[in-house]
Amino acid sequence: MRKLLARLRDDDGMTTAEYAVGTVAAVAFAAGLLKVVTSEKVLAALSAVISRALG
């Protein structure tokens, strides 16, 4: 029983399914972030900040 519990607690690394889920989550987050950063409002705000900083 102890060996089984030790084996269940042992987490040396992610399995292939966990890598796939992690990759999909990272891509979804990146796509959402790209959509936000490339929106008109954000681009206008960044342009305004840069223009003010450069004088």
Side-chain angles (χ1 to χ4, degrees), residues 40-50 52:
E40 292 295 324
K41 288 182 180 181
V42 173
L43 287 176
L46 287 175
S47 295
V49 168
I50 292 170
R52 250 183 287 152

mmCIF file with all atom_site columns, all heavy atoms in Angstrom, residues 40-50 52:
data_model
loop_
_atom_site.group_PDB
_atom_site.id
_atom_site.type_symbol
_atom_site.label_atom_id
_atom_site.label_alt_id
_atom_site.label_comp_id
_atom_site.label_asym_id
_atom_site.label_entity_id
_atom_site.label_seq_id
_atom_site.pdbx_PDB_ins_code
_atom_site.Cartn_x
_atom_site.Cartn_y
_atom_site.Cartn_z
_atom_site.occupancy
_atom_site.B_iso_or_equiv
_atom_site.pdbx_formal_charge
_atom_site.auth_seq_id
_atom_site.auth_comp_id
_atom_site.auth_asym_id
_atom_site.auth_atom_id
_atom_site.pdbx_PDB_model_num
ATOM 1  N N   . GLU A 1 40 ? -7.787  48.533 -31.335 1.00 0.00 ? 40 GLU A N   1
ATOM 2  C CA  . GLU A 1 40 ? -7.631  49.954 -31.655 1.00 0.00 ? 40 GLU A CA  1
ATOM 3  C C   . GLU A 1 40 ? -7.403  50.798 -30.404 1.00 0.00 ? 40 GLU A C   1
ATOM 4  O O   . GLU A 1 40 ? -6.568  51.697 -30.395 1.00 0.00 ? 40 GLU A O   1
ATOM 5  C CB  . GLU A 1 40 ? -8.860  50.455 -32.414 1.00 0.00 ? 40 GLU A CB  1
ATOM 6  C CG  . GLU A 1 40 ? -9.003  49.866 -33.804 1.00 0.00 ? 40 GLU A CG  1
ATOM 7  C CD  . GLU A 1 40 ? -7.878  50.280 -34.736 1.00 0.00 ? 40 GLU A CD  1
ATOM 8  O OE1 . GLU A 1 40 ? -7.411  51.426 -34.641 1.00 0.00 ? 40 GLU A OE1 1
ATOM 9  O OE2 . GLU A 1 40 ? -7.469  49.450 -35.553 1.00 0.00 ? 40 GLU A OE2 1
ATOM 10 N N   . LYS A 1 41 ? -8.162  50.521 -29.341 1.00 0.00 ? 41 LYS A N   1
ATOM 11 C CA  . LYS A 1 41 ? -8.050  51.314 -28.113 1.00 0.00 ? 41 LYS A CA  1
ATOM 12 C C   . LYS A 1 41 ? -6.658  51.183 -27.490 1.00 0.00 ? 41 LYS A C   1
ATOM 13 O O   . LYS A 1 41 ? -6.060  52.163 -27.064 1.00 0.00 ? 41 LYS A O   1
ATOM 14 C CB  . LYS A 1 41 ? -9.107  50.897 -27.101 1.00 0.00 ? 41 LYS A CB  1
ATOM 15 C CG  . LYS A 1 41 ? -10.504 51.326 -27.470 1.00 0.00 ? 41 LYS A CG  1
ATOM 16 C CD  . LYS A 1 41 ? -11.489 50.923 -26.401 1.00 0.00 ? 41 LYS A CD  1
ATOM 17 C CE  . LYS A 1 41 ? -12.896 51.353 -26.764 1.00 0.00 ? 41 LYS A CE  1
ATOM 18 N NZ  . LYS A 1 41 ? -13.863 50.993 -25.738 1.00 0.00 ? 41 LYS A NZ  1
ATOM 19 N N   . VAL A 1 42 ? -6.163  49.958 -27.436 1.00 0.00 ? 42 VAL A N   1
ATOM 20 C CA  . VAL A 1 42 ? -4.848  49.738 -26.826 1.00 0.00 ? 42 VAL A CA  1
ATOM 21 C C   . VAL A 1 42 ? -3.751  50.358 -27.691 1.00 0.00 ? 42 VAL A C   1
ATOM 22 O O   . VAL A 1 42 ? -2.829  50.996 -27.174 1.00 0.00 ? 42 VAL A O   1
ATOM 23 C CB  . VAL A 1 42 ? -4.595  48.230 -26.596 1.00 0.00 ? 42 VAL A CB  1
ATOM 24 C CG1 . VAL A 1 42 ? -3.177  47.979 -26.120 1.00 0.00 ? 42 VAL A CG1 1
ATOM 25 C CG2 . VAL A 1 42 ? -5.594  47.680 -25.589 1.00 0.00 ? 42 VAL A CG2 1
ATOM 26 N N   . LEU A 1 43 ? -3.844  50.201 -29.004 1.00 0.00 ? 43 LEU A N   1
ATOM 27 C CA  . LEU A 1 43 ? -2.846  50.796 -29.891 1.00 0.00 ? 43 LEU A CA  1
ATOM 28 C C   . LEU A 1 43 ? -2.861  52.324 -29.773 1.00 0.00 ? 43 LEU A C   1
ATOM 29 O O   . LEU A 1 43 ? -1.801  52.961 -29.737 1.00 0.00 ? 43 LEU A O   1
ATOM 30 C CB  . LEU A 1 43 ? -3.089  50.376 -31.336 1.00 0.00 ? 43 LEU A CB  1
ATOM 31 C CG  . LEU A 1 43 ? -2.730  48.926 -31.665 1.00 0.00 ? 43 LEU A CG  1
ATOM 32 C CD1 . LEU A 1 43 ? -3.106  48.603 -33.108 1.00 0.00 ? 43 LEU A CD1 1
ATOM 33 C CD2 . LEU A 1 43 ? -1.264  48.670 -31.449 1.00 0.00 ? 43 LEU A CD2 1
ATOM 34 N N   . ALA A 1 44 ? -4.044  52.919 -29.672 1.00 0.00 ? 44 ALA A N   1
ATOM 35 C CA  . ALA A 1 44 ? -4.143  54.369 -29.512 1.00 0.00 ? 44 ALA A CA  1
ATOM 36 C C   . ALA A 1 44 ? -3.537  54.804 -28.181 1.00 0.00 ? 44 ALA A C   1
ATOM 37 O O   . ALA A 1 44 ? -2.815  55.816 -28.110 1.00 0.00 ? 44 ALA A O   1
ATOM 38 C CB  . ALA A 1 44 ? -5.600  54.813 -29.600 1.00 0.00 ? 44 ALA A CB  1
ATOM 39 N N   . ALA A 1 45 ? -3.809  54.071 -27.124 1.00 0.00 ? 45 ALA A N   1
ATOM 40 C CA  . ALA A 1 45 ? -3.268  54.415 -25.809 1.00 0.00 ? 45 ALA A CA  1
ATOM 41 C C   . ALA A 1 45 ? -1.743  54.291 -25.807 1.00 0.00 ? 45 ALA A C   1
ATOM 42 O O   . ALA A 1 45 ? -1.041  55.158 -25.267 1.00 0.00 ? 45 ALA A O   1
ATOM 43 C CB  . ALA A 1 45 ? -3.873  53.512 -24.732 1.00 0.00 ? 45 ALA A CB  1
ATOM 44 N N   . LEU A 1 46 ? -1.213  53.232 -26.399 1.00 0.00 ? 46 LEU A N   1
ATOM 45 C CA  . LEU A 1 46 ? 0.238   53.067 -26.461 1.00 0.00 ? 46 LEU A CA  1
ATOM 46 C C   . LEU A 1 46 ? 0.887   54.158 -27.298 1.00 0.00 ? 46 LEU A C   1
ATOM 47 O O   . LEU A 1 46 ? 1.945   54.692 -26.929 1.00 0.00 ? 46 LEU A O   1
ATOM 48 C CB  . LEU A 1 46 ? 0.589   51.691 -27.028 1.00 0.00 ? 46 LEU A CB  1
ATOM 49 C CG  . LEU A 1 46 ? 0.348   50.493 -26.114 1.00 0.00 ? 46 LEU A CG  1
ATOM 50 C CD1 . LEU A 1 46 ? 0.618   49.202 -26.866 1.00 0.00 ? 46 LEU A CD1 1
ATOM 51 C CD2 . LEU A 1 46 ? 1.193   50.573 -24.866 1.00 0.00 ? 46 LEU A CD2 1
ATOM 52 N N   . SER A 1 47 ? 0.252   54.510 -28.396 1.00 0.00 ? 47 SER A N   1
ATOM 53 C CA  . SER A 1 47 ? 0.773   55.593 -29.233 1.00 0.00 ? 47 SER A CA  1
ATOM 54 C C   . SER A 1 47 ? 0.795   56.910 -28.467 1.00 0.00 ? 47 SER A C   1
ATOM 55 O O   . SER A 1 47 ? 1.748   57.691 -28.569 1.00 0.00 ? 47 SER A O   1
ATOM 56 C CB  . SER A 1 47 ? -0.063  55.738 -30.497 1.00 0.00 ? 47 SER A CB  1
ATOM 57 O OG  . SER A 1 47 ? 0.065   54.597 -31.295 1.00 0.00 ? 47 SER A OG  1
ATOM 58 N N   . ALA A 1 48 ? -0.262  57.181 -27.709 1.00 0.00 ? 48 ALA A N   1
ATOM 59 C CA  . ALA A 1 48 ? -0.327  58.404 -26.917 1.00 0.00 ? 48 ALA A CA  1
ATOM 60 C C   . ALA A 1 48 ? 0.770   58.436 -25.858 1.00 0.00 ? 48 ALA A C   1
ATOM 61 O O   . ALA A 1 48 ? 1.424   59.468 -25.654 1.00 0.00 ? 48 ALA A O   1
ATOM 62 C CB  . ALA A 1 48 ? -1.704  58.537 -26.266 1.00 0.00 ? 48 ALA A CB  1
ATOM 63 N N   . VAL A 1 49 ? 0.986   57.319 -25.197 1.00 0.00 ? 49 VAL A N   1
ATOM 64 C CA  . VAL A 1 49 ? 2.027   57.252 -24.168 1.00 0.00 ? 49 VAL A CA  1
ATOM 65 C C   . VAL A 1 49 ? 3.407   57.470 -24.785 1.00 0.00 ? 49 VAL A C   1
ATOM 66 O O   . VAL A 1 49 ? 4.220   58.237 -24.257 1.00 0.00 ? 49 VAL A O   1
ATOM 67 C CB  . VAL A 1 49 ? 1.975   55.894 -23.432 1.00 0.00 ? 49 VAL A CB  1
ATOM 68 C CG1 . VAL A 1 49 ? 3.200   55.685 -22.577 1.00 0.00 ? 49 VAL A CG1 1
ATOM 69 C CG2 . VAL A 1 49 ? 0.709   55.807 -22.596 1.00 0.00 ? 49 VAL A CG2 1
ATOM 70 N N   . ILE A 1 50 ? 3.661   56.853 -25.911 1.00 0.00 ? 50 ILE A N   1
ATOM 71 C CA  . ILE A 1 50 ? 4.956   56.994 -26.570 1.00 0.00 ? 50 ILE A CA  1
ATOM 72 C C   . ILE A 1 50 ? 5.149   58.426 -27.079 1.00 0.00 ? 50 ILE A C   1
ATOM 73 O O   . ILE A 1 50 ? 6.213   59.016 -26.931 1.00 0.00 ? 50 ILE A O   1
ATOM 74 C CB  . ILE A 1 50 ? 5.111   55.971 -27.713 1.00 0.00 ? 50 ILE A CB  1
ATOM 75 C CG1 . ILE A 1 50 ? 5.209   54.569 -27.118 1.00 0.00 ? 50 ILE A CG1 1
ATOM 76 C CG2 . ILE A 1 50 ? 6.324   56.272 -28.572 1.00 0.00 ? 50 ILE A CG2 1
ATOM 77 C CD1 . ILE A 1 50 ? 5.119   53.443 -28.127 1.00 0.00 ? 50 ILE A CD1 1
ATOM 78 N N   . ARG A 1 52 ? 3.789   61.162 -25.849 1.00 0.00 ? 52 ARG A N   1
ATOM 79 C CA  . ARG A 1 52 ? 4.030   62.008 -24.682 1.00 0.00 ? 52 ARG A CA  1
ATOM 80 C C   . ARG A 1 52 ? 5.441   61.832 -24.138 1.00 0.00 ? 52 ARG A C   1
ATOM 81 O O   . ARG A 1 52 ? 6.080   62.795 -23.730 1.00 0.00 ? 52 ARG A O   1
ATOM 82 C CB  . ARG A 1 52 ? 3.030   61.687 -23.583 1.00 0.00 ? 52 ARG A CB  1
ATOM 83 C CG  . ARG A 1 52 ? 2.028   62.802 -23.362 1.00 0.00 ? 52 ARG A CG  1
ATOM 84 C CD  . ARG A 1 52 ? 1.100   62.518 -22.231 1.00 0.00 ? 52 ARG A CD  1
ATOM 85 N NE  . ARG A 1 52 ? 0.156   61.477 -22.685 1.00 0.00 ? 52 ARG A NE  1
ATOM 86 C CZ  . ARG A 1 52 ? -0.442  60.607 -21.899 1.00 0.00 ? 52 ARG A CZ  1
ATOM 87 N NH1 . ARG A 1 52 ? -0.227  60.632 -20.613 1.00 0.00 ? 52 ARG A NH1 1
ATOM 88 N NH2 . ARG A 1 52 ? -1.255  59.711 -22.390 1.00 0.00 ? 52 ARG A NH2 1
#
